[in-house]
């Protein structure tokens, strides 16, 4: 993926956000054990873009993704997916929105071991009582390059193939937004690159919106935009990222401050 290719991608300026959070706060524990995971975070996720969320361990990046994907609830603030405000939805409506509008790719693949690749891909639709749009299903399967592996179960697939099944599962219902939590964390560099190229293609060719939590500057360089979190707050942002620029920001974020160095 060349830098110029990244520069050409992305929606026009002013595109409506696919998701946004406003003044989001999330804490865990009480008293001395209280941890502020998100501290008044506001952020727009533009439609048709590939966004990475990065930050040191404990910065709140996975918590932010889980709140955006309706997998966790914040203490305060609003989360919007499209026009829907998640914190106002009852459980049934939230489940339906999560099923119809949100795709999720987990680091650990989360495939059902007794199901074939085809059955894993179509599982969310089956649970919703829907049949896949055959043309779109064929497009997705073609994009992930698994046409000859559809009858195989997860233990008959490599890690990279399993993660491509998981990406296909996230795309097949045509969600408004796909969240990917460290999708290359369990993969070797070659398999990881395949998955990143697939997510990049889903944005460029299918107009998908993808948000990825990652700690890897190489992975971040596939995206249109990197948002950096530290101590539960958004502290920086880079557009058209390169590995070197991301590394530089991460190094500055983790370097001891002059005050600490003097201690």
């Amino acid at each position: 993926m060349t830098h110029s290719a990244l520069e050409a991608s992305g929606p026009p300026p002013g595109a409506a956000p696919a998701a946004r959070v406003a003044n989001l706060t999330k804490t865990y524990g009480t008293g001395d054990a209280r941890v502020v995971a998100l501290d008044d975070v506001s952020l727009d996720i533009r439609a048709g873009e590939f966004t990475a969320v990065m930050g040191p361990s404990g910065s709140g990046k996975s918590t932010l993704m889980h709140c955006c994907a309706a997998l966790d609830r914040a203490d305060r603030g609003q989360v919007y997916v499209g026009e829907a405000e998640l914190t106002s939805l009852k459980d049934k409506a939230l489940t339906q929105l999560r099923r119809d509008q949100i795709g999720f790719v987990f680091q650990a693949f989360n495939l059902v071991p007794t199901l074939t690749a085809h059955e894993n891909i179509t599982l969310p639709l089956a649970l919703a009582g829907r049949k896949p749009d055959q043309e779109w299903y064929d497009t997705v399967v073609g994009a992930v390059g698994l046409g000859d592996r559809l009858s195989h179960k997860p233990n008959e697939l490599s890690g990279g193939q399993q993660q491509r099944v998981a990406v296909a599962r996230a795309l097949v219902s045509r969600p408004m937004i796909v969240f990917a939590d460290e999708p290359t964390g369990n993969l070797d560099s070659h398999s990881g690159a395949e998955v990143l190229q697939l997510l990049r293609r889903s944005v460029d060719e299918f107009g998908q919106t993808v948000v990825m939590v990652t700690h890897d500057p190489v992975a971040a360089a596939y995206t249109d935009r990197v948002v950096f979190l530290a101590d539960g707050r958004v502290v920086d942002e880079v557009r058209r990222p390169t590995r070197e620029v991301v590394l530089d920001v991460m190094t500055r974020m983790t370097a001891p401050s002059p005050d600490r160095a003097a201690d």
Side-chain angles (χ1 to χ4, degrees):
M1 181 61 58
T2 65
H3 190 51
S4 60
L6 289 177
E7 290 180 348
S9 64
R20 62 188 176 94
V21 300
N23 308 113
L24 210 62
T25 298
K26 175 71 176 178
T27 60
Y28 296 101
T30 56
D32 292 342
R34 184 173 179 267
V35 175
V36 181
L38 297 175
D39 187 4
D40 198 38
V41 172
S42 294
L43 180 68
D44 283 5
I45 302 296
R46 293 188 194 172
E49 272 196 349
F50 192 174
T51 300
V53 180
M54 302 190 75
S57 179
S59 60
K61 53 190 185 294
S62 288
T63 301
L64 175 63
M65 172 170 286
H66 290 163
C67 289
C68 288
L71 298 174
D72 199 357
R73 285 186 183 269
D75 301 336
R76 291 195 304 278
Q78 290 80 44
V79 180
Y80 295 85
V81 172
E83 298 298 318
E85 205 280 288
L86 269 54
T87 52
S88 67
L89 296 179
K90 298 284 192 290
D91 285 347
K92 185 176 180 182
L94 197 60
T95 298
Q96 185 172 355
L97 179 135
R98 196 161 49 219
R99 188 181 66 206
D100 296 342
Q101 300 296 334
I102 295 172
F104 209 99
V105 182
F106 299 87
Q107 179 176 344
F109 317 146
N110 282 26
L111 302 179
V112 179
T114 55
L115 300 182
T116 65
H118 164 76
E119 290 165 339
N120 268 288
I121 291 169
T122 58
L123 183 60
L125 293 172
L127 292 173
R130 293 163 50 197
K131 291 187 176 179
D133 175 313
Q134 191 62 45
E135 185 177 357
W136 178 243
Y137 172 84
D138 291 342
T139 298
V140 169
V141 168
V144 300
L146 289 168
D148 61 342
R149 312 290 286 179
L150 292 174
S151 63
H152 292 63
K153 292 181 179 174
N155 66 356
E156 300 172 305
L157 301 171
S158 68
Q161 289 169 336
Q162 289 184 63
Q163 193 61 297
R164 283 188 276 148
V165 170
V167 172
R169 179 181 59 189
L171 293 173
V172 77
S173 59
R174 293 196 171 188
M176 180 172 291
I177 188 166
V178 169
F179 294 100
D181 193 358
E182 296 276 11
T184 61
N186 285 341
L187 302 177
D188 60 50
S189 58
H190 176 75
S191 297
E194 287 184 345
V195 170
L196 290 163
Q197 288 162 5
L198 175 57
L199 292 171
R200 181 73 251 172
R201 277 189 65 197
S202 75
V203 173
D204 294 341
E205 296 179 26
F206 307 148
Q208 186 64 61
T209 304
V210 178
V211 182
M212 172 179 67
V213 164
T214 184
H215 66 278
D216 182 2
V218 174
Y222 282 80
T223 69
D224 301 303
R225 172 197 190 200
V226 183
V227 176
F228 296 90
L229 266 64
D231 299 321
R233 292 172 173 261
V234 176
V235 296
D236 209 343
E237 177 179 324
V238 172
R239 295 197 65 81
R240 303 188 185 109
T242 63
R243 173 182 174 275
E244 290 71 27
V245 168
V246 171
L247 265 174
D248 182 56
V249 175
M250 291 293 289
T251 301
R252 281 190 280 113
M253 287 174 65
T254 55
S257 68
D259 292 342
R260 281 190 203 148
D263 287 345

